Amino acid sequence: VYPIKDTDGNIISVCGRTLDPDYKEKKIRKYTYFQSIGYLGTIYGLYDNMSAILEQREIILFEGAKSVMMADGWGIRNTGALLTSHLNANQFQILLKLGVSVSFALDAEIDIREDSNIMKLRQYTNVYWVKNSGGVLGPKDSPTDKGENVFRSLHAERRRLR
């Protein structure tokens, strides 16, 4: 379990993630929010990682909190998670206010060019795509799933969306 904080650092929910690999067959939810948060008006990790994000002038956005935690273990602290596979209007506004470059490192099967909010964000800041170059990731893999070296390589090869 881990806390979900708003942009001011207030805990707005606690999320649990099952570790059971057979969760689908057992009809267990992969994620459970212990307090409904209604609309998603935050980015996981943003409050805790704000100083690194502002210092590096970039936020690397993953789908899930697990990737933020893994990156933190590698000393990469300018990260956050959308907690879903797309950028919603509330998160769009948060990123506008941040005023930093945004690198989307979503799961391998996600094509960020299909997300209208991400495409709109390009008008206001530099937007990059940490893409599955060379097919090193499986279809459901996060860019962090193959380890630090693979992630750092994929991030170094990120492409700017024009």
Side-chain angles (χ1 to χ4, degrees):
V1 298
Y2 48 91
I4 306 295
K5 297 178 183 177
D6 65 16
T7 56
D8 295 322
N10 301 305
I11 295 175
I12 57 174
S13 187
V14 175
C15 184
R17 182 182 193 277
T18 185
L19 299 177
D20 189 334
D22 301 321
Y23 71 93
K24 286 183 182 176
E25 293 80 17
K26 295 178 181 177
K27 299 184 181 183
I28 299 171
R29 294 174 57 152
K30 186 173 183 179
Y31 297 99
T32 300
Y33 290 89
F34 296 99
Q35 172 65 43
S36 174
I37 52 178
Y39 70 93
L40 188 56
T42 193
I43 294 172
Y44 174 82
L46 180 64
Y47 177 79
D48 294 321
N49 295 337
M50 184 65 80
S51 62
I53 292 164
L54 294 176
E55 180 180 302
Q56 295 186 33
R57 307 286 308 144
E58 176 194 30
I59 183 170
I60 303 167
L61 288 175
F62 301 107
E63 282 188 45
K66 176 188 74 161
S67 294
V68 173
M69 293 177 210
M70 290 175 72
D72 185 66
W74 303 329
I76 303 168
R77 293 187 174 82
N78 60 319
T79 63
L82 299 175
L83 301 177
T84 187
S85 61
H86 63 278
L87 180 67
N88 72 35
N90 300 307
Q91 294 166 327
F92 174 87
Q93 291 297 321
I94 292 168
L95 294 173
L96 281 181
K97 291 176 187 172
L98 267 180
V100 301
S101 294
V102 181
S103 293
F104 288 91
L106 305 183
D107 290 1
E109 81 277 8
I110 303 298
D111 184 340
I112 68 169
R113 297 170 298 185
E114 296 175 1
D115 186 310
S116 62
N117 283 321
I118 292 174
M119 297 310 282
K120 186 166 60 170
L121 186 64
R122 303 176 305 166
Q123 299 171 39
Y124 303 100
T125 191
N126 295 325
V127 174
Y128 296 90
W129 186 5
V130 177
K131 195 173 176 183
N132 186 17
S133 301
V136 296
L137 304 175
K140 295 285 187 182
D141 285 344
S142 165
T144 60
D145 285 347
K146 299 294 184 190
E148 178 181 3
N149 292 337
V150 169
F151 172 73
R152 287 187 184 273
S153 175
L154 291 172
H155 182 257
E157 297 170 4
R158 69 193 180 279
R159 297 180 183 143
R160 185 171 175 196
L161 286 187
R162 303 247 181 229

